[in-house]
Amino acid sequence: MTPSTSPRILTVGTGAIGAIYSWRLSKNAHVTTVCRSNYEAVRNNGLKIDSKKFGQETFVPNEVVKSVPEEPFDYVMVTTKSLPDVYSVPDIIAPAITKGKTTIVLIQNGLGVEDPIIERFPDNPIVSIVAYIGTSQTSPGHIKMVGDESLIAGNYLASPVNAEKHLDSFVDLLRKGGCTVSTVKDIEQVRWQKLFWNATFSPVCTVARMNTTEVLNCPEAMTTVKKLMHEMIEAANAVGYEYNTEEQIETMLERTRATAMDYKPSMLLDFERGQPMEISVILGTPLGRAKAKGMEVPNLEMMYNILMAIQKTVKQSPERFRIQ
C-alpha cells in the first residue's frame, strides 16, 4: 500500500491508549496524532513504547500536531477521556470531519459516548470500540503496556448510518497491526457489561481511596459495591437486556480476585492526580437511563452525587487531592 493510497487516520487524544493503537494502525495507514501535554516530546523524539505484547519501538507518527487540523481524513479516532462536563468532543473534532465521509471511531469508556457525535454529525458512520488494555504514559512520550490487549468493536444501533463496511475496514487495519479484535452487533450491551465493574469498584475505590484488594477485604466497602452492581445490572435489564443479577455479581467478583488484585482504577488515579474523572459517562448516563425507565436506584444516585461534588472541588483546587 503506497502512502498516497493509505487510509488517513487522525488520532485525537494521544495518551497511552491513543499511542498504542496509532502505532499499530501506522503499519498500514498514514497516522496523524494530536498531542497536547506531550507535544514537544513526541515531535522531537517520537513515542518510545515498551509493550510486552508488541515489543519495544520508537514510533514516529507521520505527522504530529497540537490541534485538530482542517484536513480530510478517512478515520478520526477519538481516544480522549470521556469528560462531557469538561469539554465537547464534537467541537474538538469538527474541523477534521467531512460530512458523510469521515468515519468517527470512539475508543472511550462509559455509556452513551456516541450520542453527542450522532447529534452533531448525523450523516457520518460511527465505529464504537471498548478496550481492555493495561497501559500508561509514564512520562511525556514514554508508553508502558503490560500484558495483552483486546478490543470489542461494533455498531451503535441508534446511529442513523449503517457503519458495517466501515467497521470491517477499520477492524481489518487493527488486525493487520497485530491487535486482538472481536466484533459484535450491539456495542451498547458490551458497554453496559463493562459498567458492572467500572461503575461499582471504580467509584468505591475512589471515594474510599482504596485499591481493589483493600475494597475486597473491607465488608463495608463490599456491601456498597454489591448494592451498586445490583442496581446497574437491573438498569441494564430495564433497557432490554437479560442478565442474571446474582450470576453477574459473582462473575465480577471472581474476575476481580483472579485478575485485578492490588489494582487502582483510572478514576482513582485521576482523583489522586487532581484531574477530572469520568463520572458522567460511567455513573451519570446509566443513572439517567434507569430513571427514564421509572427505576429507583438510590445507591447509584448517591454515589453519582458524591463524586460530582468531589469533581467540582477537583476542578477548582486540584492541588488539594494530588498525592506527591
Side-chain angles (χ1 to χ4, degrees), residues 89-306:
V89 168
D91 286 350
I92 292 170
I93 68 174
I97 303 301
T98 302
K99 182 178 179 180
K101 292 185 178 180
T102 310
T103 298
I104 302 168
V105 181
L106 302 175
I107 307 181
Q108 293 183 297
N109 275 331
L111 190 67
V113 296
E114 304 89 353
D115 294 339
I117 303 298
I118 291 173
E119 184 177 348
R120 182 72 170 272
F121 309 109
D123 300 313
N124 289 79
I126 293 176
V127 173
S128 187
I129 299 178
V130 175
Y132 296 89
I133 181 173
T135 184
S136 62
Q137 185 166 212
T138 56
S139 62
H142 289 76
I143 309 297
K144 178 78 171 178
M145 176 185 158
V146 297
D148 205 350
E149 57 75 45
S150 66
L151 300 170
I152 302 177
N155 289 309
Y156 185 60
L157 298 182
S159 173
V161 178
N162 187 324
E164 284 283 353
K165 67 177 183 179
H166 309 278
L167 170 66
D168 291 343
S169 297
F170 194 75
V171 166
D172 185 56
L173 288 172
L174 287 165
R175 287 175 175 162
K176 284 179 177 177
C179 301
T180 302
V181 193
S182 59
T183 59
V184 294
K185 291 295 184 184
D186 179 10
I187 195 65
E188 181 123 304
Q189 183 171 5
V190 179
R191 291 190 175 277
W192 271 107
Q193 193 159 23
K194 190 173 182 180
L195 286 180
F196 297 166
W197 196 95
N198 216 12
T200 57
F201 270 97
S202 289
V204 172
C205 286
T206 301
V207 171
R209 300 189 90 155
M210 293 176 170
N211 64 32
T212 49
T213 300
E214 291 167 330
V215 167
L216 285 165
N217 291 333
C218 176
E220 294 84 359
M222 282 308 300
T223 295
T224 305
V225 166
K226 290 176 181 178
K227 285 181 178 179
L228 286 167
M229 277 190 188
H230 189 278
E231 291 181 357
M232 284 297 303
I233 296 164
E234 290 301 309
N237 288 341
V239 301
Y241 300 113
E242 296 180 355
Y243 290 105
N244 182 300
T245 302
E246 296 308 317
E247 283 184 7
Q248 284 294 317
I249 290 174
E250 190 53 40
T251 296
M252 292 296 151
L253 297 183
E254 286 177 0
R255 286 181 184 171
T256 306
R257 295 186 189 102
T259 65
M261 297 296 281
D262 299 316
Y263 175 70
K264 284 188 175 184
S266 60
M267 186 181 288
L268 173 57
L269 292 173
D270 287 337
F271 181 38
E272 291 179 344
R273 293 166 183 155
Q275 297 174 344
M277 299 168 284
E278 296 176 305
I279 300 166
S280 293
V281 295
I282 290 176
L283 294 168
T285 304
L287 172 62
R289 300 272 182 96
K291 283 180 163 286
K293 292 294 183 180
M295 291 183 64
E296 293 291 329
V297 282
N299 296 287
L300 177 57
E301 186 166 11
M302 181 184 296
M303 187 61 74
Y304 171 76
N305 288 335
I306 289 171

Side-chain angles (χ1 to χ4, degrees), residues 74-96:
D74 298 296
Y75 302 95
V76 171
M77 181 174 71
V78 180
T79 53
T80 60
K81 282 193 172 289
S82 304
L83 299 168
D85 51 322
V86 177
Y87 49 70
S88 165
V89 168
D91 286 350
I92 292 170
I93 68 174

